[in-house]
Amino acid sequence: MSDMWTYLQYPFAQHALLAATLVALVSGLIAPFVAARDMAFAVHGSAELAFPTAVAGLLLFDDALTGALLGSVLVAIAIALLGSRRGDGNTAIGVILAFGLGIGVFLLSFYHGYASQATNILFGSIVAVTSRDLVVLAIVAAVVSLLVLAIYRPLFFSSVDPEVAEARGVPTRALGLLFVLMLTVTVTEVAQVVGTLLVLSLAITPAAAARRWTAAPLLVTGLSVLFALLSADGGFLLSLAFVDSGVKASVFITFISFGLYLLARAAAVVRKV
Amino acid sequence: MSQASAVQLDHAALRRGERLLWSDLDLKIAPGEFVAILGPNGAGKSTLLKVLLGLLSLTDGTALVAGKAPRRGSSDVGYVPQQKGFDTDLGARGRDLVALGVDGHRFGPFRERGRAARVDQAIAAVGASAYAGRPIGRLSGGEQQRLRIAQALVGDPAVLLCDEPLLSLDLNHQRGVVELLDRRRRDAGTAVLMVTHEINPVLPFVDRVVYLVDGRVAVGKPDDVLTSTSLSALYGTRIDVLRVRDRIVVLGAEMEPHHVHDHFGGEHDHSGESGETGESGETGETGEASGDE
């Protein structure tokens, strides 16, 4: 256990902790909307599609994050065009997802750098976060947070009550598009920490747990951020504490996140709601 | 006098693609008037509401709502959309839904001043105070519908547009909702336009009906429009309108199951409408009914 404090003296661990915090903040903010709009599959889809774009980034710029962030814009447009609400585009997302992963594996065969780069994309590589990555993460986190603050109410309106929102003059389509964009960028960020395969543990589980505790929207968002922070930071600290086991931080993150969800469900049963 | 109309349509026509939904629709609705819009499925009833909401434009003619051309987001109009249940764990309470009617369309982090008081008042006016703090997805259909009406009325609109507000409610709640709308239009002078399949629950309250069939329109008092002669002319086929006690039964019109159910519905048993029982069951609603009256 004392290892944890020793490791935290090192810049790589501090970077990782900061990255985990930033990533948890945005995904916790976004997650309640993902749940309300029933877009879990779009999250999963855009996370996995960050794989081929990250590999393309490795090939073109020797940098996975740049490729993934640029690619996320393309993915957002594709998802938005296919229809992003209420599962109407789920089949199409599935089709594109399968093809996208094929492209990723195809591109990977041209990449002759470190093979660990590719597995890092899939399963996360929080300790590999550079200070340049941190700057990008901080900028994305700031932009997404400010946007959520600015569009919170209309976005919530169009998420829970689209017909009336439309009639009340809320630009539901434009907001839907903007949200998908925020979502794919956030997901790409989260994928840096937990990997593309485990994104949902930060981008939906915290909100799913929060909604079991309360139905007050602001409280749901607050709890969702709190749970995401507990999972991401807690998971990383645990991975330091058990560094000898060689288990990745992303594993601890998914475990804590799911544990909080189980706790919320159990509490809901006890509270009889 | 024409400025005083809550809703005014002159020679209004609407075409959707190849189909002419209705044409030559003249309608003047006074403040406080209660109008039911009737007709078979696909006759363009909901579409008429969409025109008044400013979501669709007329193909021909003019429309005015509170003296102005229909505009999306107008505060003159309240809207209760067709009943769709909310997700069980939506992450919103009843009062959050009503609050969205105040400032849900506004950007920025600050809520409108005095919102809480207005929301409380609107919730009390529909008798939903007891359950407005509970998750919306866990309320019964009747409770959700009352909160939807509170949401539509919290902005104090001149016109209230309701699309099938009685759908999937049991008779008790149908009556409760209709009485609520009736009280509102009398107290506040809000004109109410209600698209509905259910004639009988609204019959004692509505001033006029608009009956749309296949592009043809009949407008008038229920007693004038809902007759064998008038409906036969409208449908272009033989229709019999029977009065059974204080209820109306329409025979011969090509109508969906719901329609048949509605006209026959009431105190009689469920024979011959086995397909409907699930929908009108509403098992979860008894609690509200007792606390309501």
Side-chain angles (χ1 to χ4, degrees):
Chain A
M1 269 314 240
S2 61
D3 289 353
M4 193 171 90
W5 303 112
T6 323
Y7 278 114
L8 275 178
Q9 308 301 315
Y10 293 102
F12 86 89
Q14 291 162 1
H15 283 176
L17 193 61
L18 199 54
T21 306
L22 288 170
V23 155
L25 180 72
V26 272
S27 52
L29 273 179
I30 291 274
F33 292 108
V34 174
R37 297 170 82 87
D38 204 10
M39 286 178 69
F41 191 60
V43 170
H44 186 67
S46 48
E48 296 212 345
L49 284 171
F51 171 66
T53 53
V55 178
L58 274 180
L59 284 173
L60 292 172
F61 319 109
D62 196 29
D63 179 48
L65 181 58
T66 309
L69 279 176
L70 290 176
S72 68
V73 178
L74 285 180
V75 172
I77 292 167
I79 291 178
L81 288 178
L82 294 169
S84 56
R85 275 195 52 83
R86 293 277 154 224
D88 46 358
N90 274 353
T91 310
I93 290 175
V95 170
I96 297 227
L97 174 57
F99 179 61
L101 286 177
I103 298 253
V105 178
F106 172 70
L107 290 176
L108 204 56
S109 52
F110 295 104
Y111 180 66
H112 301 295
Y114 299 106
S116 66
Q117 289 272 38
T119 51
N120 281 348
I121 297 167
L122 286 175
F123 301 111
S125 59
I126 193 166
V127 289
V129 172
T130 64
S131 46
R132 194 184 135 272
D133 291 343
L134 264 187
V135 172
V136 176
L137 290 183
I139 291 171
V140 172
V143 170
V144 170
S145 307
L146 285 176
L147 273 176
V148 168
L149 206 62
I151 67 171
Y152 183 88
R153 232 176 353 230
L155 182 62
F156 183 67
F157 201 175
S158 66
S159 300
V160 302
D161 196 8
E163 283 92 1
V164 179
E166 175 84 22
R168 288 287 282 153
V170 174
T172 49
R173 286 185 69 93
L175 280 176
L177 213 81
L178 181 61
F179 179 68
V180 172
L181 190 60
M182 289 158 67
L183 177 72
T184 50
V185 170
T186 301
V187 159
T188 307
E189 240 196 287
V190 180
Q192 296 305 305
V193 173
V194 289
T196 56
L197 295 179
L198 304 173
V199 161
L200 284 173
S201 61
L202 283 183
I204 190 146
T205 315
R211 296 208 301 185
R212 291 275 160 177
W213 286 106
T214 176
L218 289 177
L219 209 51
V220 169
T221 304
L223 280 180
S224 168
V225 171
L226 177 70
F227 293 160
L229 284 170
L230 282 175
S231 310
D233 289 341
F236 173 64
L237 292 177
L238 273 185
S239 78
L240 288 184
F242 295 100
V243 74
D244 296 334
S245 68
V247 177
K248 274 181 172 285
S250 44
V251 175
F252 290 106
I253 292 171
T254 53
F255 283 6
I256 295 180
S257 164
F258 187 63
L260 288 168
Y261 176 70
L262 285 184
L263 185 68
R265 285 204 75 125
V269 171
V270 172
R271 294 185 303 138
K272 294 191 176 64
V273 292
Chain B
M1 191 63 207
S2 71
Q3 277 104 320
S5 293
V7 171
Q8 189 172 348
L9 291 166
D10 289 305
H11 300 293
L14 190 73
R15 189 179 282 284
R16 299 283 279 160
E18 290 295 291
R19 234 163 73 82
L20 183 68
L21 285 178
W22 29 262
S23 59
D24 252 337
L25 176 54
D26 290 306
L27 183 63
K28 214 181 254 186
I29 296 172
E33 207 177 349
F34 194 163
V35 176
I37 303 169
L38 311 171
N41 268 355
K45 304 185 296 281
S46 301
T47 323
L48 176 57
L49 296 192
K50 294 225 163 87
V51 167
L52 299 176
L53 284 167
L55 296 172
L56 288 174
S57 316
L58 289 172
T59 316
D60 200 12
T62 56
L64 291 176
V65 175
K68 286 165 268 181
R71 182 178 56 84
R72 193 161 83 93
S74 161
S75 56
D76 292 323
V77 184
Y79 178 45
V80 178
Q82 213 169 90
Q83 170 83 2
K84 251 187 272 166
F86 292 96
D87 288 355
T88 326
D89 283 315
L90 188 61
R93 298 159 302 178
R95 59 174 301 114
D96 298 315
L97 187 79
V98 179
L100 287 173
V102 179
D103 58 7
H105 59 294
R106 280 178 204 240
F107 287 84
F110 304 108
R111 58 179 64 172
E112 193 152 301
R113 231 175 233 257
R115 185 177 82 165
R118 286 173 66 190
V119 169
D120 286 337
Q121 203 186 350
I123 289 170
V126 299
S129 304
Y131 48 81
R134 290 185 16 217
I136 184 94
R138 293 176 182 267
L139 300 176
S140 72
E143 291 166 341
Q144 290 184 8
Q145 201 56 279
R146 276 170 191 267
L147 288 160
R148 281 209 164 282
I149 292 169
Q151 182 199 38
L153 290 176
V154 73
D156 203 12
V159 181
L160 180 64
L161 306 175
C162 307
D163 199 347
E164 297 284 6
L166 308 181
L167 208 63
S168 79
L169 300 187
D170 64 19
L171 287 174
N172 229 354
H173 287 90
Q174 288 186 350
R175 200 175 51 235
V177 165
V178 175
E179 281 171 359
L180 187 66
L181 297 175
D182 186 57
R183 204 180 330 129
R184 173 71 187 197
R185 60 118 174 190
R186 285 177 200 284
D187 295 350
T190 313
V192 179
L193 270 81
M194 180 202 276
V195 168
T196 183
H197 280 117
E198 338 249 341
I199 298 180
N200 284 307
V202 297
L203 205 56
F205 299 98
V206 292
D207 301 311
R208 283 191 294 165
V209 299
V210 174
Y211 211 119
L212 304 172
V213 183
D214 250 349
R216 292 180 292 273
V217 189
V219 181
K221 290 191 164 47
D223 285 345
D224 298 334
V225 175
L226 302 174
T227 64
S228 302
T229 333
S230 141
L231 287 191
S232 295
L234 200 56
Y235 276 91
T237 177
R238 168 102 191 247
I239 305 287
D240 290 305
V241 179
L242 308 178
R243 297 229 166 214
V244 182
R245 268 171 282 168
D246 57 343
R247 310 187 76 80
I248 281 186
V249 181
V250 180
L251 296 176
E254 159 252 319
M255 280 180 272
E256 54 276 81
H258 239 288
H259 216 158
V260 176
H261 161 67
D262 306 328
H263 292 300
F264 285 92
E267 45 283 275
H268 94 84
D269 63 21
H270 280 195
S271 58
E273 25 169 293
S274 47
E276 287 286 290
T277 44
E279 211 164 346
S280 50
E282 295 286 77
T283 43
E285 300 222 320
T286 40
E288 194 218 340
S290 53
D292 226 22
E293 253 62 60

